[in-house]
Amino acid sequence: AIVAGKENSVVINGQGSTIDGGGVHTIFHIRSGAVDIDGLAINNGYLRGAGGRLPADAAGAGMKIDSGASVELSNVSFSNNVVIGGQSGARSEGADGSGGALFAAPNSNVTLSNVSFSGNRADGGAAGWNGNGYGGNIFFGGSNLTYIGGTLGPATVWSGRGEGVDYISDVLHLAGSSSTTRLGAAGTT
């Protein structure tokens, strides 16, 4: 995983390059500071929450953005990234998987310009009561997300909701050629 943090700024100009997690690694974890990424494909990230008596949630196989971070993505694609919540026993509940491609924590600021999503997945962990999958492409909870162009392609969730985008409160700005849509209540698109 590539980790950015410590209140600094990071600029990545991918010039059309691909970072591939090989179906076994997460790719970006933005802890704090400002990160600007242009011209990059983020593919095949994978994250499974720890299993056991107290299974762990999993979030953001392609990119996880922590509270307080600011991220601007331009000309970026996310493909085939998978999160799976931790598995538990037959008499307990599995953990949740959120944001197969992109997870934005509360109080983060994210701007997506010409960013596309395809084939990403968020699954809940298996158990007596399965965990939930939220936001196969994007999950943001209490963050400020601005989406300017791009493609929200097919995504899947297992035992949950939000096949494309799942959000909890706050605002999703969908800026198109003529309007901006603000969604302020919990739900999916």
Side-chain angles (χ1 to χ4, degrees):
I2 297 171
V3 180
K6 301 290 184 192
E7 302 299 325
N8 54 0
S9 295
V10 175
V11 176
I12 298 173
N13 186 347
Q15 298 179 345
S17 298
T18 298
I19 296 180
D20 194 307
V24 294
H25 298 286
T26 59
I27 298 175
F28 284 101
H29 185 177
I30 314 299
R31 293 187 180 192
S32 62
V35 176
D36 186 352
I37 299 173
D38 186 17
L40 193 63
I42 300 171
N43 300 341
N44 301 308
Y46 180 85
L47 178 62
R48 179 186 287 271
R53 231 175 95 200
L54 298 171
D57 293 339
M63 181 176 293
K64 181 178 181 183
I65 303 167
D66 288 348
S67 293
S70 278
V71 176
E72 189 168 326
L73 304 178
S74 301
N75 306 306
V76 171
S77 64
F78 289 88
S79 298
N80 304 314
N81 297 286
V82 177
V83 292
I84 303 172
Q87 185 173 345
S88 189
R91 293 187 177 170
S92 59
E93 185 174 347
D96 296 336
S98 301
L102 176 65
F103 175 91
N107 302 313
S108 60
N109 292 297
V110 182
T111 300
L112 308 176
S113 179
N114 194 33
V115 176
S116 62
F117 296 86
S118 179
N120 301 291
R121 194 174 95 210
D123 293 345
W129 298 274
N130 293 329
N132 291 305
Y134 298 106
N137 284 322
I138 305 170
F139 179 91
F140 64 102
S143 54
N144 187 9
L145 175 67
T146 301
Y147 190 81
I148 308 166
T151 304
L152 284 171
T156 58
V157 296
W158 177 71
S159 185
R161 65 175 196 216
E163 292 179 6
V165 179
D166 194 28
Y167 57 95
I168 296 177
S169 72
D170 248 352
V171 178
L172 167 63
H173 305 275
L174 294 172
S177 58
S178 60
S179 67
T180 298
T181 302
R182 293 178 54 111
L183 304 170
T188 61
T189 65

